[in-house]
Amino acid sequence: MTAEPDAPEPDYGVGPWPGGKAEWPDDPRYDPDLLAHGDRRNVIDRYRYWSMEAIVADLDTRRHPFHVAIENWQHDMNIGSIVRSANAFGAEAVHIIGRRRWNRRGAMVTDRYQHIEHHDDIAAFAQWADAASLPIVAVDNVTGSRSLYDADLPEKCVLLFGQEGPGLSDEALAAASGHVEIIQYGSTRSINAGAAAAVIMYEWCRRWA
């Protein structure tokens, strides 16, 4: 697999640990290189100067029991944004279905802190979800979808999103135990896939987090 380049690190954060090496905290979670040179990563203050491994380990103690899955047939640039939102809302893992390669730019390096799994096709993904006893909730504005206002979002589930434009494939819709849509009030048929994913994840957190 050929990895795509990560987005450049943002130019903000904190400088070297005040007081020099003699004042460094005696805690294995802290990264000596970050303590020495500063931490310019896009992380919350709680994780300043922590190593990436330490951050992932801490997140693993408090991730939420919902997963996020995305069909990847057309190399959708929204996938990175969805991964970023999955990190923000504490998803257990993100599942990429279809093409293994995906555009990471929109993730803003949050994919480093998020568990990401790959499935060759919908059949393989559905088999995994069934083995994990996780219902699949398909998010798309198709006939028969229930409004997010009163739709069932189980505490343990997989939220499945499709491609920008065509939405979910017929195979994906058939594999789901429920279909959910976001009610809209304007003239367009659908909203951006990344925005839709953020809305659904926020609603899950409002109900369960």
Side-chain angles (χ1 to χ4, degrees):
M1 177 181 69
T2 302
E4 295 194 358
D6 291 321
E9 293 281 6
D11 186 20
Y12 51 72
V14 293
W17 187 271
K21 189 172 183 178
E23 301 295 328
W24 285 4
D26 183 20
D27 188 326
R29 295 175 297 185
Y30 286 82
D31 186 311
D33 187 64
L34 295 174
L35 292 170
H37 300 103
D39 187 352
R40 305 294 180 183
R41 301 172 301 173
N42 182 18
V43 296
I44 60 176
D45 289 343
R46 168 186 172 86
Y47 293 138
R48 287 294 176 205
Y49 303 109
W50 284 30
S51 70
M52 181 179 68
E53 294 77 13
I55 294 174
V56 172
D58 188 71
L59 289 172
D60 284 347
T61 67
R62 53 193 186 88
R63 296 187 195 273
H64 294 137
F66 76 90
H67 294 241
V68 172
I70 316 156
E71 285 196 285
N72 182 33
W73 312 123
Q74 300 177 354
H75 206 50
D76 191 344
M77 294 184 67
N78 286 282
I79 292 178
S81 296
I82 296 174
V83 170
R84 185 178 182 183
S85 292
N87 172 271
F89 293 114
E92 180 70 27
V94 174
H95 302 260
I96 308 295
I97 305 167
R99 297 177 59 173
R100 183 177 293 274
R101 185 178 180 182
W102 56 279
N103 192 312
R104 286 169 165 75
R105 185 169 297 276
M108 295 294 289
V109 305
T110 55
D111 53 303
R112 299 179 184 177
Y113 308 97
Q114 186 67 50
H115 298 301
I116 298 178
E117 302 181 21
H118 175 260
H119 307 271
D120 289 333
D121 51 32
I122 287 294
F125 164 70
Q127 184 177 28
W128 167 84
D130 182 64
S133 299
L134 292 172
I136 299 171
V137 179
V139 180
D140 205 346
N141 56 347
V142 296
T143 301
S145 290
R146 294 187 62 184
S147 166
L148 181 60
Y149 289 133
D150 55 10
D152 183 28
L153 290 181
E155 182 178 13
K156 295 182 179 181
C157 66
V158 189
L159 305 173
L160 175 59
F161 302 93
Q163 299 279 265
E164 183 73 24
L168 286 165
S169 66
D170 291 340
E171 292 81 4
L173 292 170
S177 60
H179 301 157
V180 175
E181 67 176 334
I182 299 169
I183 298 301
Q184 300 163 204
Y185 302 94
S187 61
T188 58
R189 179 182 178 277
S190 62
I191 61 176
N192 173 270
V199 168
I200 297 292
M201 284 185 254
Y202 178 85
E203 175 61 14
W204 185 98
C205 289
R206 189 189 68 81
R207 298 186 191 187
W208 295 107

